[in-house]
Amino acid sequence: MKGEPRSPAVAVGICTLLLILGYLVVRRAYPRPLAGIPYNRDAARRLTGDLAEVVEFGTRGGSFRLWFLEQATRHNSAITQVFLGPFVKPAVVVSDYREVHDILSHRDGVDFKRGKKVDAFRGILPHAFPAMETFDPLFKPSRDLARDLMTPSILHSVNAPRIHDVTMSLLELWTLKLRLAGGKPFDVSEDVSEFSFDAILSAATGLGPDGGDVKRQLQHLTAHQDQIAASSSHGGAAVIVFPRAAKSAKLAALRVDEDSLWKGFVMPWPRLYHFLNNLRPSVRAARHTLQSHIATQITSTLVQGQETPPPSCALDYVMQRELRAAAAASRPPRLTDPRILEPIYGYLIAGHDTSSGALTWFLRRLTAAHPQLQAQIRTCLRAAYPDAWRERRAPTAAELVRRPGSPWLDAALEETLRLDSPVVNIMVVTRTDTLVLGCFVPRDTPVFLNLAGPSLNRQSVFVEEGLRREGSGGGGGPRGNWDGEGPEEFRPERWLRRDAAGRMLFDAGAGPALAFSAGNRGCWGKRLGYLELRIVAALLLWFFEFEEVPEELVSWETYDSLVTAPKECLVHLREVGM
């Protein structure tokens, strides 16, 4: 009858069904390991898997990315799996140079895709090649447009003079700080970040009328130098802290975009994150700031619709290329086409954090009691640029790119990138069911490829040759690991050899390195990165000696964003006599 209560059996049945469904949902949330791949047994029994351990690792002052490097040694296996939260598929971690190099160089776009990384970039640069899969028909033409900006002629005639100018401003700033510091060390991490931004902005679009962040800091410090000199003369703290001007609107805007991109990498659903994030007024304002700067530079360099003189920045080159294409096709130029402008925008995002991180690590290495190395580099530089040394001046940009400077400098930079790679690992996704080191990995599985760790800057983990893909080779180098050569030690000489005449030469192929990744999707700004590092490192060592900073003042804490880098970088400078 209507209104008659249900029987107890029905109620019990419904409750039982709900309990079963709840149990199944909870079980579904727990990790489900892939067969045959080592993993942390305790993590497999936790709803959060390895996530709590990863977070704890990061809170102890280290990069959480370094946790992934530990797994190979922990399980004595070059392939492991990790569980990064409830309802999340297991992720595979590969810690072997040869296997990583093979995946990046020969299997990208076939067995593997970029997956989440594409979605992360698409929220900011939807028309640029980082936001495209390798098998996307638009990828190659978009990448080729960007690669045109990395030709030696553009790098040497356009980028090098701009980087040189900004470096000279940095030298002037640090010379003033050295004089005001009264023999005390000071932190230059923010200076390095602003230098890297000025260098990449100047090379990409020109600095604009404000002259850049480094000059702004120099002007601000000059205006306050009297009170700083008075305070430092009374002793006080062991590390001097200089007053700083506010960073420029352009650098602040770029950091907003870098933060958005970084969060896009780590969020579970990058597309949803970017959709919501791009609605935020601060994000929209930051995007507008940089886009307006690029538009203003276009307007200021166009002269009655005609081509400008020889390009002085990448944007000039892109504009001239479009003007020529438009004239040949008898059509109006499309100077606001995002497919043309986004490579410039990507130039800024990709070039700032990576070069800043690499330079910070290099300075940390210089201050870690390596006076002999600095002397060797300086001796080679003076021999390479005798006119500059004789005239007691800095080598010009033309001199620095015309001939190699110091094999010891190249070796020290390469060794820094090997030991302290700003990008520790990257993630790809299996495009099909496939094998990795003999283990079955199903389609759509996240795969972390370690660009550091075992075989690169740690002792390798043994891999049976029969488990490797046929034809994988040795990664194009003479060796597949640094075993027996002190892989965890800073030894620049590992990159040096002598030719038949006994001259010391830098050998970039002496052994494995993946700081710039590899293959089709390797860092497209690699040449620009090396050029910037060589110029700024050569000029810094030409004028300064980096003395050891007392160990009790040094912090080795790192931060994670688009790169992994030290939170601080103390230097104790001494001017080199000319």
Side-chain angles (χ1 to χ4, degrees), residues 361-561:
W361 281 120
F362 178 68
L363 294 176
R364 292 295 296 263
R365 289 290 172 184
L366 287 182
T367 60
H370 293 291
Q372 184 179 359
L373 172 62
Q374 294 183 48
Q376 288 170 319
I377 293 172
R378 204 171 288 113
T379 298
C380 289
L381 289 173
R382 290 171 180 175
Y385 311 116
D387 292 343
W389 173 240
R390 185 176 60 255
E391 296 164 14
R392 299 298 186 263
R393 60 170 175 82
T396 65
E399 287 173 324
L400 288 169
V401 300
R402 188 167 56 241
R403 57 177 297 180
S406 166
W408 279 100
L409 175 59
D410 289 338
L413 288 170
E414 195 68 41
E415 184 70 346
T416 299
L417 290 170
R418 183 189 71 84
L419 275 175
D420 306 308
S421 175
V423 181
V424 177
N425 31 51
I426 58 175
M427 192 186 80
V428 295
V429 177
T430 50
R431 191 180 178 193
T432 63
D433 293 347
T434 190
L435 293 176
V436 178
L437 292 177
C439 297
F440 174 77
V441 182
R443 177 181 177 176
D444 292 328
T445 298
V447 179
F448 288 90
L449 304 176
N450 283 336
L451 307 184
S455 72
L456 288 154
N457 57 21
R458 301 184 186 185
Q459 195 77 10
S460 66
V461 176
F462 174 74
V463 175
E464 292 183 24
E465 285 299 309
L467 298 178
R468 298 188 185 277
R469 185 183 67 87
E470 186 177 353
S472 64
R479 55 190 303 149
N481 58 61
W482 288 105
D483 293 356
E485 299 290 331
E488 298 184 11
E489 298 174 10
F490 184 74
R491 292 185 188 176
E493 59 270 21
R494 74 177 78 239
W495 300 99
L496 299 174
R497 63 177 176 83
R498 293 192 181 275
D499 64 9
R503 292 172 298 190
M504 188 74 77
L505 300 177
F506 169 66
D507 181 6
L514 285 172
F516 290 95
S517 189
N520 250 345
R521 305 308 293 257
C523 177
W524 69 277
K526 177 179 178 178
R527 289 178 175 175
L528 176 59
Y530 272 123
L531 178 71
E532 180 180 327
L533 286 173
R534 285 180 182 128
I535 289 176
V536 66
L539 291 175
L540 287 176
L541 286 166
W542 187 269
F543 288 102
F544 297 130
E545 181 175 330
F546 291 78
E547 298 187 318
E548 185 176 4
V549 176
E551 185 63 31
E552 63 271 16
L553 300 179
V554 176
S555 167
W556 289 98
E557 287 193 20
T558 59
Y559 70 88
D560 284 305
S561 62

Side-chain angles (χ1 to χ4, degrees), residues 68-80 95 450 454 461:
F68 290 87
L69 306 188
E70 305 284 346
Q71 302 314 300
T73 306
R74 183 177 188 172
H75 299 289
N76 194 31
S77 174
I79 180 171
T80 57
S95 306
N450 283 336
V461 176

Side-chain angles (χ1 to χ4, degrees), residues 252-442:
L254 183 68
R255 285 183 170 174
V256 170
D257 267 344
E258 289 171 341
D259 184 64
S260 296
L261 182 59
W262 155 238
K263 289 177 179 174
F265 287 145
V266 298
M267 291 289 178
W269 302 284
R271 292 189 186 186
L272 177 61
Y273 163 74
H274 279 305
F275 174 78
L276 297 175
N277 187 58
N278 288 341
L279 298 177
R280 294 169 56 203
S282 59
V283 173
R284 295 166 69 89
R287 202 75 44 85
H288 176 72
T289 296
L290 288 176
Q291 290 172 345
S292 296
H293 169 72
I294 295 174
T296 300
Q297 295 301 98
I298 290 175
T299 302
S300 65
T301 52
L302 278 176
V303 182
Q304 297 179 350
Q306 300 299 313
E307 291 189 10
T308 58
S312 60
C313 64
L315 181 61
D316 288 350
Y317 177 83
V318 170
M319 288 168 56
Q320 291 184 21
R321 184 177 58 191
E322 171 58 15
L323 289 169
R324 289 193 296 269
S330 300
R331 60 167 175 80
R334 306 184 187 115
L335 295 176
T336 58
D337 189 328
R339 291 171 297 181
I340 294 174
L341 297 184
E342 282 190 8
I344 300 297
Y345 208 110
Y347 208 81
L348 300 177
I349 293 176
H352 173 237
D353 251 15
T354 50
S355 61
S356 175
L359 180 55
T360 303
W361 281 120
F362 178 68
L363 294 176
R364 292 295 296 263
R365 289 290 172 184
L366 287 182
T367 60
H370 293 291
Q372 184 179 359
L373 172 62
Q374 294 183 48
Q376 288 170 319
I377 293 172
R378 204 171 288 113
T379 298
C380 289
L381 289 173
R382 290 171 180 175
Y385 311 116
D387 292 343
W389 173 240
R390 185 176 60 255
E391 296 164 14
R392 299 298 186 263
R393 60 170 175 82
T396 65
E399 287 173 324
L400 288 169
V401 300
R402 188 167 56 241
R403 57 177 297 180
S406 166
W408 279 100
L409 175 59
D410 289 338
L413 288 170
E414 195 68 41
E415 184 70 346
T416 299
L417 290 170
R418 183 189 71 84
L419 275 175
D420 306 308
S421 175
V423 181
V424 177
N425 31 51
I426 58 175
M427 192 186 80
V428 295
V429 177
T430 50
R431 191 180 178 193
T432 63
D433 293 347
T434 190
L435 293 176
V436 178
L437 292 177
C439 297
F440 174 77
V441 182

